[in-house]
Amino acid sequence: MPDADRDLTPPASVAEDDLGPLAPFRHGVFAMLWSTWLIANLCMWMNDVAAAWLMTTLTSKPIWVALVQTAAMLPVFLLGLPSGALADILDRKRFLFFTQLWVATIGALLSVAVFMGVITPPLLLMLLFLNGIGLALRWPVFSAIVPELVPRAQLPAALALNGVSMNASRILGPLVAGSVIASLGSAWVFLLNAVLSVVAAMVITRWRREHRPDPLGRESLRGAMRVGLQYVMQSYHLKGVLLRIALFFFHSTTLMALLPLVALQIEGGDAGTFTVLLAAMGAGAIASTFALPQLRQAMSRDRLVLLGATTQALTMAMMAVNSSIWFGVAAMALGGAAWMTTANSLSVSAQISLPDWVRARGMSMFQMAIMGASAGGAAVWGQVATWASVPTALGLGAASAIVAMGLATWLMPDRGVMEDPTPAGPLPRPQVTRPPESGHVLVTVEYRIDPADAPAFRALMDESRRSRLRQGAVAWELLSDINDPGRFVEVIEDASWIDHLRRFERTSAADVALRERKLGYHLGEEPPVVHRTLRETTVRSGRMSFGAADVGR
């Protein structure tokens, strides 16, 4: 596999006292790369503050100021899946290094444009969009490398520490940017971001990670995107995670989008009040990481997510009627803790269900769900606040959040079990005299079963369909013999011979277990008969004709 190598291999199990919230820091590589993530997040928040302030000095039109966030975040949504595919098929260390240099370059260009006095609103938005491309490329690859750095049992704590990085930078970034802007100007913030990004890139070069190319060659970008999307769509567990994270951010973004207006409703509220409330939320999120290990042991994922989403919704309802700064600080801290609990629980749930070969693609879709839901939620609830009032929008958003998450839990409950993504190990590949260079490969597997078991067998084969498509097959079908009710033929179609071989590399422990369950229905001492044929296309008399050539068994 292209990304199987890593500079250290975490132990398969860890001691009970090594599961604390800070345990991942005992792994030197994690601590080193976590520092780069902290720097990256700090730069992101500093850039947002400096860009927003700079736009207000260039124009007084609200639409230009609003487009600052759009330009910064839109690439993350548009390029999420392609960037995840690149992170899965390229050397992740070099790819992460490249993203830092990209952001550093854009930061330098921003500072030069401001220093030279040539910056304009359109130019600022263009450079922010280019900076957003760097963010879009960076997020999936960093999400994919975290499980390489710590034992599986410490993954929840590692992801929580990533959340700490985000929230700490959310507090420190605006404070640092504000101080630099007040004393030196926005250009120096962009220059500082460029310098810090280069420092982070240099730290990444210290990561001793050997990249071993896939012997089957790199996947095409288009093919990698297709397989990544198929994997998620054929996983009940991941679809449930994406549904919950989208619903949560669609509603929780109401408070974040309207927080400046909420701050003005507080007695004596001003920009400083907004900063205090934002800092309180970040502090609550950071503090909650120390309680997460105990909460995860005490509750199921669904119960913890429902509790977190409900608590965050109640925080919105409280802020809708609040006029006290002290009550607001307490409520925002509670809301931050609930936000961290929900987001971390769902992030962990997604990470542990993804195999390494498709991890970046899966996490990129997780990030796309967050960004798309946040953008949609801000627009919807902002319009509600325009039509009615800010308290009304917060109250309706809170009620809708509780109902929506409750329905999601009822309609798509966590089954308590999920596919084991652990690689099954190298499996023997089919042998052929001359591997075909092009054409779709059709694989047929013939089963002989007891006709009385047909209903149960069909249900099991539906699991086989999802498994084959997750591995990358382009089509699947099950044929039954009209004259022989005990004969079934499974048909799997692969885009090429190389793609057919990739499915052997992607076989997981869950796939092996499923194969044994299917064989349990097969009658006779001989295994099911397997044929592999090549779909050929020829031109005859101006017409396309299709045929099949046998390429081995």
Side-chain angles (χ1 to χ4, degrees):
M1 297 301 293
D3 289 298
D5 286 349
R6 53 201 69 164
D7 68 315
L8 61 91
T9 302
S13 60
V14 293
E16 195 68 29
D17 60 353
D18 206 24
L19 297 177
L22 301 179
F25 281 139
R26 298 175 187 173
H27 303 278
V29 178
F30 174 83
M32 180 180 68
L33 293 181
W34 184 88
S35 68
T36 68
W37 189 237
L38 177 62
I39 293 173
N41 288 325
L42 187 65
C43 290
M44 181 184 70
W45 286 103
M46 290 169 60
N47 193 79
D48 286 351
V49 171
W53 179 256
L54 178 60
M55 185 63 83
T56 63
T57 66
L58 298 175
T59 178
S60 60
K61 294 182 179 180
I63 184 60
W64 286 106
V65 178
L67 285 175
V68 168
Q69 280 299 308
T70 302
M73 292 293 106
L74 186 60
V76 180
F77 180 73
L78 295 178
L79 302 178
L81 185 54
S83 63
L86 288 172
D88 276 330
I89 63 181
L90 299 177
D91 182 343
R92 289 175 180 168
K93 174 186 173 180
R94 292 185 178 182
F95 192 49
L96 184 60
F97 177 79
F98 168 78
T99 64
Q100 286 302 119
L101 291 186
W102 176 282
V103 172
T105 301
I106 302 304
L109 291 175
L110 271 167
S111 65
V112 169
V114 178
F115 278 130
M116 295 180 63
V118 298
I119 195 73
T120 62
L123 179 59
L124 176 59
L125 292 181
M126 184 189 73
L127 290 173
L128 290 176
F129 186 86
L130 292 175
N131 186 73
I133 291 176
L135 301 181
L137 296 175
R138 183 174 65 198
W139 273 333
V141 66
F142 191 84
S143 296
I145 65 176
V146 171
E148 297 185 15
L149 310 176
V150 297
R152 183 181 176 90
Q154 290 182 355
L155 182 59
L159 296 178
L161 288 173
N162 286 347
V164 169
S165 167
M166 175 65 75
N167 285 281
S169 61
R170 177 183 291 174
I171 298 172
L172 296 175
L175 294 177
V176 174
S179 300
V180 175
I181 291 171
S183 58
L184 298 173
S186 297
W188 289 95
V189 176
F190 299 131
L191 183 58
L192 178 60
N193 282 346
V195 173
L196 290 176
S197 296
V198 171
V199 170
M202 293 301 102
V203 173
I204 292 171
T205 62
R206 298 179 56 197
W207 180 20
R208 297 187 304 275
R209 182 183 191 273
E210 180 185 356
H211 174 71
R212 186 167 56 195
D214 190 333
L216 295 175
R218 289 179 181 172
E219 290 182 82
S220 67
L221 180 60
R222 182 179 178 182
M225 291 169 59
R226 174 187 65 81
V227 174
L229 186 60
Q230 276 186 202
Y231 192 97
V232 172
M233 295 306 297
Q234 297 302 325
S235 171
Y236 173 90
H237 178 81
L238 284 173
K239 286 192 291 185
V241 170
L242 293 184
L243 173 64
R244 286 165 173 78
I245 200 68
L247 288 175
F248 178 69
F249 274 87
F250 179 83
H251 292 93
S252 65
T253 197
T254 310
L255 182 56
M256 290 302 300
L258 300 176
L259 192 59
L261 300 177
V262 172
L264 295 178
Q265 294 181 172
I266 294 177
E267 186 176 350
D270 54 16
T273 307
F274 169 71
T275 303
V276 169
L277 293 177
L278 199 60
M281 180 179 179
I286 293 173
S288 69
T289 60
F290 295 95
L292 280 174
Q294 290 76 24
L295 290 174
R296 278 191 291 265
Q297 291 180 357
M299 302 181 191
S300 65
R301 187 209 68 180
D302 267 5
R303 185 180 176 189
L304 189 56
V305 168
L306 186 59
L307 174 63
T310 301
T311 303
Q312 197 281 331
L314 293 176
T315 298
M316 290 199 298
M318 290 187 288
M319 293 302 294
V321 298
N322 173 58
S323 60
S324 167
I325 182 62
W326 298 111
F327 184 83
V329 166
M332 290 299 294
L334 179 63
W339 180 90
M340 171 65 86
T341 299
T342 307
N344 176 260
S345 298
L346 291 172
S347 178
V348 171
S349 191
Q351 283 273 21
I352 63 177
S353 65
L354 286 165
D356 188 67
W357 63 268
V358 76
R359 190 183 306 280
R361 280 166 280 186
M363 293 310 296
S364 71
M365 282 180 270
F366 183 85
Q367 191 66 45
M368 288 172 63
I370 291 176
M371 291 298 173
S374 297
V380 169
W381 299 112
Q383 192 61 50
V384 172
T386 302
W387 287 337
S389 65
V390 171
T392 299
L394 290 173
L396 290 177
S400 177
I402 296 173
V403 173
M405 195 60 76
L407 285 174
T409 304
W410 178 55
L411 294 174
M412 291 191 72
D414 184 9
R415 294 172 174 172
V417 294
M418 60 184 177
E419 301 88 359
D420 183 0
T422 305
L427 298 179
R429 296 178 181 176
Q431 300 299 318
V432 294
T433 305
R434 187 176 63 180
E437 297 181 358
S438 63
H440 284 210
V441 175
L442 298 178
V443 182
T444 60
V445 186
E446 183 177 334
Y447 297 92
R448 289 282 182 177
I449 71 167
D450 185 338
D453 293 330
F457 182 73
R458 287 190 178 95
L460 182 62
M461 293 306 289
D462 191 53
E463 293 185 39
S464 183
R465 173 185 62 82
R466 292 194 294 270
S467 172
R468 307 287 195 185
L469 293 176
R470 279 198 305 270
Q471 292 171 349
V474 297
W476 181 97
E477 60 183 339
L478 181 66
L479 308 178
S480 59
D481 195 318
I482 296 176
N483 297 316
D484 186 352
R487 179 175 176 266
F488 286 82
V489 180
E490 182 182 22
V491 183
I492 310 105
E493 182 175 351
D494 293 309
S496 67
W497 181 252
I498 293 297
D499 284 342
H500 176 60
L501 297 182
R502 288 192 199 281
R503 289 202 294 109
F504 287 81
E505 301 291 329
R506 295 167 177 170
T507 302
S508 67
D511 297 324
V512 172
L514 176 60
R515 178 178 180 273
E516 295 303 317
R517 290 165 61 195
K518 290 187 292 185
L519 291 178
Y521 285 94
H522 183 67
L523 301 178
E525 296 182 358
E526 295 297 322
V529 177
V530 179
H531 287 280
R532 294 177 175 85
T533 56
L534 184 67
R535 174 174 288 170
E536 297 182 337
T537 306
T538 57
V539 179
R540 294 177 182 173
S541 302
R543 294 183 179 181
M544 303 290 287
S545 64
F546 300 90
D550 198 341
V551 295
R553 297 188 178 185

